[in-house]
Amino acid sequence: CLDEREDLGIHTEMFSDGLLALAEAGVVTNRFKTTWRGRVVTSFALGSQRLYDFIDGNPFVEFHGSDIVNDPREIRQIERMTSINSAIEIDLTGQVVADSIGERIYSGIGGQMDFVQGASLAPEGKAIIALPSTARGGAVSRIVPVIQPGAGVVTTRGHVQYVATEYGVVDLRGQTLRRRAELLTSIAHPDARPELHAVAAHRHAAR
């Protein structure tokens, strides 16, 4: 979806094949980055052999430790920084679960909170959590009334900003819990919306 953009800059924990395609197409130039201008900055790469061949000895891609790349103080210096992270599930208050399915650990926490904080503080920055509305072939909604028991909150509802699914984008920053439930329900899968609406209505009926 970014193929027609121009002069994008990359500052990321992981450099992967999706970003490689943009770099090879000339979409990523890093010309206007506030820091490390002209270079992709990352802490590790993971992908195909073609990716490794591209970065081998290539000054266009510069590696630094995660203590630098993921430092919110570094990230916030990048003008118009847009962080994009994913999630396993999000509850109606905006709590983001990204590393576990219930008590089962699915992945590491990674730099999600670092990039959410850094992008939120950057000049004209945006922090986006992007996820499909469902899992298990459409059988399970990823936007849920409450998170599963034992699941870990990676990004708190106090830090979450934009949430995007294939049904739209909502901005939760500064919204009440009632309004957050309305906004998140609006971008949930249509099959999940009646239950989410009913739960939210009952939860906030006496408030």
Side-chain angles (χ1 to χ4, degrees):
C1 293
L2 297 173
D3 288 349
E4 297 182 1
R5 299 285 181 164
E6 296 180 353
D7 293 319
L8 295 184
I10 300 296
H11 181 104
T12 181
E13 182 179 28
M14 182 178 75
F15 188 62
S16 58
D17 285 274
L19 296 177
L20 173 61
L22 295 176
E24 290 181 328
V27 175
V28 174
T29 65
N30 303 294
R31 287 176 56 201
F32 299 107
K33 286 179 68 175
T34 314
T35 59
W36 288 293
R37 185 164 293 177
R39 290 159 288 173
V40 169
V41 169
T42 185
S43 58
F44 70 97
L46 184 65
S48 65
Q49 186 60 49
R50 189 164 65 90
L51 175 74
Y52 303 138
D53 292 340
F54 177 82
I55 64 178
D56 185 25
N58 188 347
F60 186 67
V61 183
E62 188 168 309
F63 287 82
H64 294 276
S66 294
D67 59 329
I68 296 173
V69 176
N70 291 14
D71 188 339
R73 293 170 297 182
E74 292 287 347
I75 297 167
R76 68 178 297 179
Q77 295 181 55
I78 304 171
E79 295 179 9
R80 300 179 68 188
M81 177 67 182
T82 301
S83 70
I84 304 173
N85 289 281
S86 191
I88 293 172
E89 63 179 359
I90 300 178
D91 76 3
L92 287 177
T93 71
Q95 297 186 106
V96 179
V97 175
D99 72 337
S100 57
I101 301 173
E103 296 179 345
R104 181 167 66 87
I105 298 299
Y106 180 78
S107 68
I109 292 173
Q112 180 167 126
M113 265 301 295
D114 300 319
F115 278 84
V116 167
Q117 286 185 299
S120 297
L121 294 170
E124 299 183 66
K126 295 180 176 67
I128 299 170
I129 302 294
L131 70 163
S133 64
T134 61
R136 299 179 190 170
V140 177
S141 176
R142 288 179 182 257
I143 296 177
V144 296
V146 294
I147 61 176
Q148 296 183 52
V153 174
V154 173
T155 296
T156 75
R157 58 190 175 210
H159 290 91
V160 70
Q161 188 178 14
Y162 292 98
V163 178
T165 72
E166 67 271 33
Y167 294 103
V169 182
V170 294
D171 183 357
L172 302 184
R173 180 66 62 85
Q175 301 290 348
T176 65
L177 294 180
R178 182 193 299 269
R179 182 59 178 153
R180 284 166 177 247
E182 293 172 352
L183 291 170
L184 287 166
T185 297
S186 74
I187 61 169
H189 191 280
D191 292 346
R193 291 176 194 173
E195 179 190 4
L196 294 172
H197 178 75
V199 169
H202 176 74
R203 182 179 296 172
H204 298 290
R207 298 182 184 179

